């Protein structure tokens, strides 16, 4: 694990859909998350080491790259995904859109809780603990999304177990 540059610490990032609503249950909404992460990866503003997209929240281990600011990258990611989710709900005439109406001066709709969690991963041990947590998330009793971590499509577990990255998103923590 020594190939990670800990001068710019990888971060464990969690974002939750407003009021824990299960908007991300459908693959089309998970694909919005993947699309946004791929955009940021391809512009070289982030490296993604691990991810899982759950029905109402996401966990990432990502690393903001030199020349980019953490708060700006997070804001762009959350704003882009929120806009895409809103437009998808509008385009499909989905009544759930009303559940995201908010009484706020700066927006009509809100899709993400305001306080996402971002924790610097200062050591390889903590990094590995978060990596395992992310990959085990779909297996938890309250979710039971799959029997084996590597079988859950919207997780980096398959990449770490088999070397296959279906979305071309993940960089192995060994380099």
């Amino acid at each position: 694990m020594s190939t990670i540059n800990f001068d710019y610490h990888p971060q464990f990032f969690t974002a939750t859909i407003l009021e824990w609503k299960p908007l991300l249950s459908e693959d089309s909404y998970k694909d919005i998350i993947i699309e946004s992460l791929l955009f940021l990866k391809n512009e070289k503003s982030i490296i993604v080491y691990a991810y899982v997209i759950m029905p109402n929240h996401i966990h990432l281990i990502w690393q903001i790259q030199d020349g980019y600011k953490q708060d700006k990258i997070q804001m762009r990611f959350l704003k882009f995904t929120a806009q895409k989710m809103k437009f998808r709900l509008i385009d499909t005439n989905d009544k759930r859109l009303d559940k995201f109406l908010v009484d706020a001066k700066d927006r009509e709709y809100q899709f993400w809780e305001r306080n996402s969690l971002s924790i610097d991963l200062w050591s390889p041990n903590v990094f590995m603990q978060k990596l395992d947590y992310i990959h085990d998330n779909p297996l938890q009793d309250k979710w039971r999304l799959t029997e084996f971590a590597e079988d859950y499509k919207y997780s980096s577990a398959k990449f770490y177990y088999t070397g296959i990255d279906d979305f071309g998103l993940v960089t192995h923590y060994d380099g």
Side-chain angles (χ1 to χ4, degrees):
M1 201 155 136
S2 59
T3 58
I4 291 178
N5 178 357
F6 281 103
D7 291 338
Y8 305 100
H9 298 286
Q11 296 172 324
F12 176 74
F13 177 76
T14 298
T16 305
I17 296 293
L18 185 68
E19 298 171 353
W20 294 84
K21 293 177 178 103
L23 183 61
L24 301 175
S25 294
E26 296 169 38
D27 287 356
S28 60
Y29 293 94
K30 292 182 191 88
D31 290 338
I32 290 169
I33 305 298
I34 296 293
E35 176 187 353
S36 181
L37 290 172
L38 281 169
F39 176 84
L40 294 171
K41 175 197 171 198
N42 291 336
E43 79 169 7
K44 300 188 183 332
S45 60
I46 65 167
I47 293 173
V48 177
Y49 295 111
Y51 69 92
V52 67
I53 305 171
M54 301 298 289
N56 59 13
H57 67 284
I58 63 169
H59 296 298
L60 308 170
I61 295 177
W62 65 0
Q63 189 169 9
I64 309 301
Q65 296 301 286
D66 196 19
Y68 293 91
K69 295 197 176 289
Q70 172 189 340
D71 58 339
K72 299 282 189 212
I73 294 297
Q74 288 178 6
M75 182 190 71
R76 285 176 56 211
F77 171 72
L78 295 173
K79 185 176 181 179
F80 175 82
T81 54
Q83 285 287 86
K84 292 286 280 194
M85 288 185 258
K86 178 179 90 174
F87 291 138
R88 173 137 183 84
L89 289 166
I90 290 169
D91 291 347
T92 58
N93 212 14
D94 193 315
K95 301 298 181 216
R96 291 179 297 173
L97 180 63
D98 292 343
K99 295 181 179 190
F100 295 96
L101 273 168
V102 292
D103 186 21
K105 291 180 181 178
D106 65 338
R107 69 194 68 203
E108 185 177 5
Y109 297 96
Q110 182 174 335
F111 290 88
W112 296 106
E113 290 287 343
R114 286 214 183 254
N115 297 319
S116 50
L117 174 70
S118 189
I119 300 170
D120 281 339
L121 302 179
W122 294 89
S123 75
N125 287 344
V126 176
F127 184 101
M128 292 307 295
Q129 178 188 39
K130 295 301 184 188
L131 184 81
D132 290 341
Y133 175 80
I134 285 171
H135 292 161
D136 290 342
N137 216 241
L139 308 178
Q140 291 180 8
D141 284 343
K142 67 181 170 184
W143 300 113
R144 296 180 190 224
L145 298 175
T146 187
E147 187 176 349
F148 302 104
E150 63 270 26
D151 292 338
Y152 186 61
K153 179 179 178 181
Y154 291 95
S155 167
S156 54
K158 180 178 181 180
F159 172 74
Y160 283 100
Y161 282 91
T162 69
I164 298 169
D165 181 0
D166 290 327
F167 299 110
L169 181 60
V170 183
T171 297
H172 197 286
Y173 61 80
D174 277 339

